Amino acid sequence: GAESQKPPPGKWWTPPFDPRFPNQNQTRNCYQNFLDYHRCQKTMKRRGKSAQPCEYYFRVYHSLCPISWVQRWNDQIKEGTFAGKI
């Protein structure tokens, strides 16, 4: 969950091109992958399955998003004030 914000082991990489976000400004891409990661975690937990497939989204948003945004969003999730739908 939000508490395990250490990067997964392995080599860091640049996310592949995502046709949903063709522009240079990757703000929406960052935010969408943050949401996708948390939704994936929630879904896998509910199904009693491994959250391993969610790691892709984690790597993408950690590559694209400023750390300060991620910290703020995680704080908001903990406080129940996050605006996104997870």
Side-chain angles (χ1 to χ4, degrees):
E3 66 283 346
S4 60
Q5 288 302 311
K6 288 192 184 113
K11 190 172 176 232
W12 282 106
W13 52 280
T14 302
F17 176 74
D18 187 332
R20 297 175 300 168
F21 307 101
N23 303 318
Q24 231 165 345
N25 183 340
Q26 293 294 298
T27 303
R28 293 272 324 140
N29 192 355
C30 146
Y31 184 70
Q32 187 60 54
N33 278 281
F34 181 84
L35 291 177
D36 289 346
Y37 171 73
H38 287 281
R39 289 173 182 160
C40 179
Q41 290 265 319
K42 187 176 174 182
T43 300
M44 294 307 218
K45 191 176 190 177
R46 194 173 60 233
R47 293 180 183 168
K49 298 200 168 165
S50 165
Q52 178 68 28
C54 307
E55 189 176 294
Y56 171 81
Y57 302 116
F58 181 92
R59 286 177 178 256
V60 172
Y61 87 74
H62 264 267
S63 176
L64 295 174
C65 302
I67 291 168
S68 60
W69 293 6
V70 173
Q71 288 170 337
R72 186 170 69 236
W73 293 337
N74 284 329
D75 289 345
Q76 289 171 346
I77 288 169
K78 281 184 206 138
E79 294 161 8
T81 59
F82 184 68
K85 188 175 186 321
I86 292 175

